[in-house]
Amino acid sequence: MKEGLLALSLCLGALTMYAQSSPHVIFGEWPRYFQQEEKVVRVFLDKNGDYYPNSIIPAADLRESGASIREHFSTNADAFLAVLQSYGVASTGSFEDDYAALQGEIVDDLLRLVNALDQEHDLYILIHGFRKPMLPQRGGSPSSRGYASVRSSIQGQYSAQSEEAVFLEVYWDGTYDCCIGRKTKVNKRIFKLFEDVAQINASEVGYGLRRLVPAIDRDELTIVTHSLGAQVGLSLLTNTYDERIDAKEQELPTPAQARVNIGLIAPAISRDPFEDYDERTLSTVADNDNYHLNILYNEKDFVLKKRWKIFGPGPKKYGDTSLGCNCRNEAEKLAEDFAENFPSSAITLYKSAIGGTHRFTRYANSRAFTAFLAVVME
């Protein structure tokens, strides 16, 4: 029993004390650790869905500012002026106007990089989930490592057909803490971090991505999310989770490319957010929906089940994760909802038979993921 509880704690949380100084994942020093790669563009966002500039912001300074880029620059005038100058933004004297202009320039730079990727190659947007540090940590691997493995899996499928893919990797503040939790109260703390902080960040980041993704100059793109990344993806794609965000954010455009393939891998969500699947700003589901939804679920994924044998709160508590583990046929019920409410919208379910794991890399090497890729590559 003790071994089971320990395994549950390690996979569900792998977090240190929730009460430590900050559970936020800060990317202010990303230029020091990430090198440019052919066929890959990386984008970094804070908890508010704001974009990090291509310059160093000391992690300690960001922690003092609550992991908020906006807050950091609002209280560090010299640093703000320097980054404005680096992006060619002339200060107006109004912080809000200048900050908005800076964010616009950052997005424009990223957009140029993405649009410069070979248009003959399929574009994949990868979005990680909960508890991913920027750099390797005790008990937790960074999203960059998972992304590299997933890219390899995707490229392997394309190589078999003498084709290639290109990638946009999204790095966001899914929160992080590490590694203890045999006791019930420790596990509860971990669940509460997921429920109260990480989920909110996911929605803010998803809406923030609307400033970039809809403007990508392509007829087709594929969005692949893992775990809590599903909430990022849905916030990008639809006007859901409106209780978490400012109404003005829902005015931001949703992707209107001719075809948007969506692969939600082990989604840490229920089917409830899909009630707003048709609420978008630049596209419609009325006749021929440009979204093509695919869900890879695993009934044995004990991270999503939040239970080891009979121990744990179950998927319905502390942030409903029932869709990804098909608790009480949640995935099949979602397909039925689509048939009734969104008959012009495509949805495909894939059952992943990979045991109790929750690892992005294991899903990406599964038969279910290969089947999903085969459809995308048609």
Side-chain angles (χ1 to χ4, degrees):
M1 183 178 74
K2 290 182 178 179
E3 291 180 356
L5 286 174
L6 177 59
L8 176 63
S9 299
L10 292 174
C11 290
L12 281 174
L15 303 173
T16 50
M17 297 300 293
Y18 182 84
Q20 73 173 5
S21 60
S22 173
H24 293 287
V25 179
I26 291 170
F27 297 102
E29 299 179 12
W30 74 264
R32 290 177 176 163
Y33 302 102
F34 291 84
Q35 302 296 320
Q36 287 188 344
E37 292 185 47
E38 187 181 7
K39 302 171 187 173
V40 180
V41 174
R42 297 183 175 93
V43 54
F44 301 85
L45 300 99
D46 74 358
K47 66 178 184 179
N48 300 315
D50 286 344
Y51 292 76
Y52 281 91
N54 186 11
S55 58
I56 301 295
I57 305 176
D61 292 350
L62 278 168
R63 289 192 191 98
E64 291 181 0
S65 300
S68 167
I69 302 170
R70 178 189 294 271
E71 179 64 22
H72 167 71
F73 283 135
S74 72
T75 56
N76 292 271
D78 290 343
F80 185 47
L81 182 59
V83 77
L84 287 178
Q85 291 174 343
S86 72
Y87 277 88
V89 177
S91 177
T92 66
S94 165
F95 173 78
E96 291 301 325
D97 290 346
D98 292 348
Y99 186 76
L102 173 63
Q103 285 290 302
E105 289 296 327
I106 296 172
V107 170
D108 286 347
D109 275 3
L110 290 167
L111 191 59
R112 282 190 285 270
L113 291 174
V114 176
N115 287 336
L117 294 170
D118 195 324
Q119 294 284 327
E120 297 299 317
H121 299 160
D122 291 343
L123 173 64
Y124 286 79
I125 300 174
L126 307 181
I127 306 176
H128 67 77
F130 177 51
R131 206 191 63 78
K132 284 296 178 182
M134 183 179 76
L135 300 174
Q137 300 278 343
R138 181 174 62 91
S141 62
S143 47
S144 57
R145 185 176 298 170
Y147 282 159
S149 180
V150 173
R151 292 200 323 261
S152 179
S153 297
I154 294 172
Q155 291 286 27
Q157 296 296 316
Y158 277 80
S159 296
Q161 299 188 24
S162 300
E163 299 178 7
E164 295 187 60
V166 292
F167 300 90
L168 173 62
E169 296 179 349
V170 177
Y171 294 81
W172 64 282
D173 182 2
T175 68
Y176 185 80
D177 209 341
C178 181
C179 303
I180 56 176
R182 290 189 180 187
K183 297 180 180 180
T184 300
K185 66 178 182 179
V186 175
N187 288 337
K188 182 177 180 179
R189 184 195 69 228
I190 293 167
F191 300 143
K192 291 295 287 181
L193 176 62
F194 174 88
E195 181 179 35
D196 296 339
V197 183
Q199 289 192 128
I200 306 302
N201 292 4
S203 293
E204 292 287 3
V205 169
Y207 278 89
L209 284 172
R210 294 187 183 194
R211 288 178 270 172
L212 174 68
V213 175
I216 293 174
D217 185 18
R218 282 178 179 261
D219 292 330
E220 180 174 348
L221 53 82
T222 299
I223 299 171
V224 177
T225 75
H226 177 242
S227 192
L228 184 57
Q231 296 193 28
V232 177
L234 283 179
S235 298
L236 161 64
L237 295 162
T238 71
N239 278 355
T240 191
Y241 302 118
D242 53 1
E243 72 280 5
R244 300 178 183 172
I245 53 90
D246 189 289
K248 190 173 183 180
E249 293 178 88
Q250 293 188 322
E251 299 174 4
L252 292 166
T254 49
Q257 286 85 356
R259 182 181 178 100
V260 180
N261 304 303
I262 307 161
L264 305 185
I265 298 177
I269 53 175
S270 69
R271 75 180 195 274
D272 292 345
F274 291 92
E275 294 177 357
D276 301 320
Y277 193 67
D278 61 341
E279 294 186 15
R280 311 173 196 173
T281 54
L282 286 184
S283 57
T284 177
V285 303
D287 299 314
N288 185 22
D289 193 355
N290 63 320
Y291 292 180
H292 294 254
L293 178 64
N294 302 267
I295 295 175
L296 282 69
Y297 67 87
N298 176 9
E299 295 174 345
K300 295 184 178 181
D301 186 323
F302 68 88
V303 170
L304 297 178
K305 291 171 70 176
K306 302 192 193 82
R307 179 170 291 156
W308 177 260
K309 296 182 179 179
I310 63 173
F311 303 99
K316 295 286 187 178
K317 294 183 178 180
Y318 300 111
D320 195 330
T321 57
S322 57
L323 180 62
C325 60
N326 197 29
C327 176
R328 299 180 182 176
N329 300 314
E330 190 82 347
E332 285 89 348
K333 290 176 181 177
L334 178 61
E336 293 171 0
D337 291 344
F338 266 56
E340 179 179 355
N341 301 317
F342 314 118
S344 66
S345 299
I347 179 172
T348 305
L349 305 180
Y350 298 87
K351 183 176 181 178
S352 297
I354 55 174
T357 185
H358 186 63
R359 293 183 180 276
F360 198 179
T361 54
R362 287 290 300 279
Y363 278 95
N365 286 292
S366 69
R367 292 182 179 179
F369 191 67
T370 298
F372 161 66
L373 289 179
V375 174
V376 173
M377 295 168 62
E378 287 180 351

